[in-house]
Amino acid sequence: MADNARAKRLADLIRQVVAQKLQRGIKDPRLGSHVTITDTRVTGDLREATVFYTVYGDEEERKAAAAGLESAKGILRSEVGRAAGVKFTPTLTFVADALPDTARTIEDLLDKARQSDQKVREAATGAAYAGEADPYRKPSEDDTTETDGDAAE
């Protein structure tokens, strides 16, 4: 089993080689400039690599890019093998990165929270307290003199 540093270096190399080959070497129109390689992970035995990617566009372009990556898998693996110089070239698995969808969901939730906060601010404008402005009891002068008198005895 390889050490984690070697797996990390190989993952970085795979990410660079696949990104460069997608940018310059693959002529598939489905894999235009709208495909971005975001991350790569390699198993500890260096046999399998998972390549995460995002696609700029709608659902149809994402499906087309997934099909294009699947068809170019052999060429990309050959390029990785040439660049890496390892005994066994890892198999490549392409997975659509969920990061943009997660970020979009978080942004939507934050927008809802901002709108809710704005509604609360608007409702609080000009509102008065239900009771007194200061709801805490304060000792009256009579209470302080009795406690002082008890302490003196």
Side-chain angles (χ1 to χ4, degrees):
M1 182 172 254
D3 60 311
N4 287 337
R6 185 171 181 203
K8 176 72 174 138
R9 283 193 312 269
L10 183 60
D12 290 342
L13 178 71
I14 290 171
R15 187 179 73 241
Q16 290 173 351
V17 168
V18 169
Q20 287 176 352
K21 191 67 176 172
L22 286 176
Q23 187 177 26
R24 295 191 194 117
I26 305 286
K27 301 291 186 213
D28 194 340
R30 299 174 290 185
L31 301 174
S33 61
H34 56 275
V35 176
T36 304
I37 304 300
T38 57
D39 192 19
T40 307
R41 295 187 187 145
V42 177
T43 58
D45 61 357
L46 306 179
R47 296 281 181 155
E48 298 175 16
T50 305
V51 180
F52 295 93
Y53 67 95
T54 59
V55 178
Y56 181 73
D58 59 358
E59 189 63 34
E60 184 178 313
E61 289 176 344
R62 288 184 195 131
K63 288 180 183 177
L69 286 170
E70 202 58 37
S71 69
K73 187 185 287 189
I75 296 168
L76 295 172
R77 185 171 181 224
S78 298
E79 283 297 315
V80 167
R82 235 178 264 129
V86 291
K87 184 176 182 179
F88 180 81
T89 303
T91 58
L92 302 177
T93 306
F94 292 96
V95 176
D97 199 350
L99 185 65
D101 295 332
T102 304
R104 193 173 309 114
T105 303
I106 290 172
E107 280 298 320
D108 292 343
L109 291 173
L110 288 173
D111 286 340
K112 287 180 185 178
R114 284 185 201 108
Q115 291 171 358
S116 176
D117 287 349
Q118 184 61 30
K119 288 178 184 177
V120 168
R121 268 188 237 108
E122 289 171 1
T125 304
Y129 292 106
E132 298 176 19
D134 188 10
Y136 299 105
R137 289 178 89 191
K138 294 184 177 53
S140 63
E141 290 182 23
D142 296 336
D143 293 340
T144 57
T145 55
E146 288 177 15
T147 55
D148 291 342
D150 292 338
E153 292 179 11

